[in-house]
């Protein structure tokens, strides 16, 4: 096997330096780094030669021409693998990749603990009105603590939308620490599977009506884009909180603003946005009962190291012909296998 005959590239950043370290230990793999500002005469030959693209998971951190859409795929005729840095894969057009015979993989589960802890932190901060109290103390010398009465989460009901790696961890934390009832909506899991993950399977409307807290933990896809809008917020109870650590565009920001403005729900914890980061004058940031973070739920030292490690393991395994364990588009495998064999001379398994 010739040296550096497998070409991988990334743009701007990796989840963790361990990814580059693990690929550097392989003499048959070359890793190229590009920047959003890299000139076309520099990046064009790298795209043309690449077999794999380690892509950032946050759409707004990546220049549009480096999103894995049809235009980039045309410029990368040898590309076999697009691997997201995280669990999400917003900058990837999965259908276009499938049509081109390119597998798409993510690192699902790599940051599940971090995201679940963030969601729980938001839940407790909102319940106890800690963020409201903090803001009041900073601007009012005579705060009336009786105007900041909170609620206990103990024994309440949480509704989890998406009972995957993050959702099931939230269920464990809420049940184990706080004795909460866990309702869950996930059309891809049976009632038996959901019970094993700690959730009671219900329809989305029923979850919204019955929950004291609604936590969104599903990926952004065609069937989840715009899933939570004015009608769904109207189903929630006035004392309920809306929390999302999933992806922007799953909920309608204008509808959420109206629900908060009209006091139809008690507050919101928002880690994801239509535009990231949101501008300081964003309407939702004007509410004291909105707890906001700039898509940092999964950004911890532990999660980044774990994501980098499993991304490198999965990438090297795929380049060695193994079937990736976190394959997003399994239907592409027959076309991918033929293209892989043409590139490397053997059939992946």
């Amino acid at each position: 096997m010739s040296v550096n005959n497998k070409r991988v590239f990334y743009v701007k950043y990796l989840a963790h330096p361990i990814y580059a370290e693990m690929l550097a230990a392989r003499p048959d793999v070359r890793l190229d780094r590009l920047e959003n500002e890299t000139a076309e005469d520099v990046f064009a030959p790298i795209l043309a030669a690449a077999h794999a693209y380690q892509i950032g998971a946050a759409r707004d951190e990546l220049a549009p021409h480096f999103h894995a859409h049809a235009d980039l795929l045309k410029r990368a005729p040898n590309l076999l693998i697009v691997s997201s840095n995280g669990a999400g894969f917003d900058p990837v057009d999965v259908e276009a990749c499938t049509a081109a015979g390119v597998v798409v993989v993510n690192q699902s589960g790599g940051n599940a603990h971090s995201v679940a802890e963030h969601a729980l932190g938001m839940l407790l901060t909102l319940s106890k009105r800690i963020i409201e109290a903090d803001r009041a103390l900073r601007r009012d010398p005579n705060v009336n603590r009786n105007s900041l009465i909170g609620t206990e989460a103990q024994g309440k009901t949480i509704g989890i939308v998406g009972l995957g790696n993050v959702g099931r961890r939230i269920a464990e934390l809420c049940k184990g620490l706080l004795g909460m009832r866990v309702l869950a909506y996930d059309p891809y899991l049976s009632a038996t599977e959901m019970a094993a993950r700690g959730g009671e399977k219900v329809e989305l409307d029923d979850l919204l009506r019955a929950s004291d807290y609604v936590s969104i933990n599903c990926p952004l896809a065609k069937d989840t884009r715009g899933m939570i809008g004015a009608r769904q917020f109207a189903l929630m109870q006035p004392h309920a909180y809306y929390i999302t650590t999933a992806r922007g565009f799953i909920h309608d920001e204008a509808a959420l603003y109206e629900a908060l403005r009209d006091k139809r729900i008690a507050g919101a914890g928002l880690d994801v946005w239509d535009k990231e980061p949101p501008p300081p004058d964003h309407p939702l940031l004007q509410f004291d009962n909105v707890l906001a973070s700039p898509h940092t739920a999964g950004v911890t030292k532990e999660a980044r190291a774990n994501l980098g490690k499993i991304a490198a393991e999965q990438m090297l395994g795929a380049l060695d012909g193994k079937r990736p364990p976190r394959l997003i588009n399994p239907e592409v495998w027959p076309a991918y296998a033929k293209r892989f064999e043409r590139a490397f001379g053997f059939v992946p398994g």
Side-chain angles (χ1 to χ4, degrees), residues 194-332:
M194 292 174 81
R197 298 182 182 201
E200 176 186 338
K201 185 177 178 69
V202 295
E203 293 302 315
L204 179 59
D205 285 3
D206 295 328
L207 179 150
L208 294 167
R209 291 189 185 100
S211 298
D212 301 299
Y213 310 88
V214 173
S215 179
I216 307 298
N217 303 104
C218 57
L220 176 64
K222 284 186 176 180
D223 57 343
T224 61
R225 182 178 290 268
M227 178 173 62
I228 308 296
R231 190 186 76 82
Q232 288 73 30
F233 286 122
L235 295 175
M236 291 177 62
Q237 302 180 74
H239 67 266
Y241 291 96
Y242 177 79
I243 299 167
T244 178
T245 52
R247 280 295 186 273
F249 295 108
I250 291 176
H251 70 267
D252 182 328
E253 289 187 346
L256 176 56
Y257 172 84
E258 292 174 359
L260 290 163
R261 179 197 63 194
D262 299 340
K263 300 186 184 332
R264 293 198 298 270
I265 63 174
L270 308 175
D271 183 55
V272 292
W273 306 82
D274 290 0
K275 171 66 176 174
E276 295 180 346
D281 62 351
H282 192 292
L284 288 169
L285 293 177
Q286 312 315 308
F287 294 103
D288 279 350
N289 58 341
V290 168
L291 177 59
S293 53
H295 205 155
T296 54
V299 182
T300 62
K301 294 177 181 178
E302 296 85 354
R304 281 291 175 87
N306 195 35
L307 287 170
K309 181 175 182 291
I310 64 176
E313 290 173 344
Q314 183 165 232
M315 178 62 76
L316 292 172
L319 291 173
D320 287 341
K322 298 177 183 176
R323 187 180 177 94
R326 299 173 180 85
L327 184 57
I328 300 299
N329 56 341
E331 66 275 17
V332 79

Side-chain angles (χ1 to χ4, degrees), residues 86-87 107-116 166 297-299 303-304 306-307 310:
Q107 317 313 321
S108 60
N111 61 2
H113 293 298
S114 294
V115 178
V166 174
V299 182
R304 281 291 175 87
N306 195 35
L307 287 170
I310 64 176

Side-chain angles (χ1 to χ4, degrees), residues 51-193:
H51 299 111
Y53 181 9
Q54 187 64 45
I55 192 170
R59 62 184 178 275
D60 292 324
E61 293 184 355
L62 193 64
H65 61 275
F66 285 130
H67 287 204
H69 292 176
D71 289 344
L72 181 141
L73 294 171
K74 290 176 184 177
R75 307 187 69 165
N78 295 301
L79 195 66
L80 296 167
I81 305 158
V82 173
S83 171
S84 169
N85 280 347
F89 42 92
D90 292 10
V92 181
D93 184 335
V94 177
E95 290 184 357
C97 288
T98 301
V102 175
V103 299
V104 179
V105 300
N106 69 352
Q107 317 313 321
S108 60
N111 61 2
H113 293 298
S114 294
V115 178
E117 288 179 5
H118 197 95
L120 181 62
M122 283 185 152
L123 184 155
L124 293 172
T125 300
L126 290 165
S127 295
K128 296 289 293 178
R129 302 180 68 180
I130 295 171
I131 193 68
E132 292 179 70
D134 178 89
R135 290 169 179 167
L137 279 174
R138 293 172 189 274
R139 67 186 179 215
D140 184 353
N142 297 302
V143 174
N144 178 5
R145 65 176 184 162
N146 291 317
S147 68
L148 293 164
I149 296 175
T151 59
E152 291 184 355
Q154 180 73 28
K156 300 295 195 306
T157 297
I158 183 169
I160 300 175
V161 179
L163 207 59
N165 290 298
V166 174
R168 69 193 299 177
R169 182 59 181 150
I170 293 173
E172 291 172 358
L173 291 171
C174 288
K175 291 184 78 169
L177 292 175
L178 299 168
M180 298 178 75
R181 179 189 182 197
V182 178
L183 304 180
Y185 170 72
D186 193 321
Y188 299 101
L189 296 173
S190 68
T192 300
E193 290 171 320

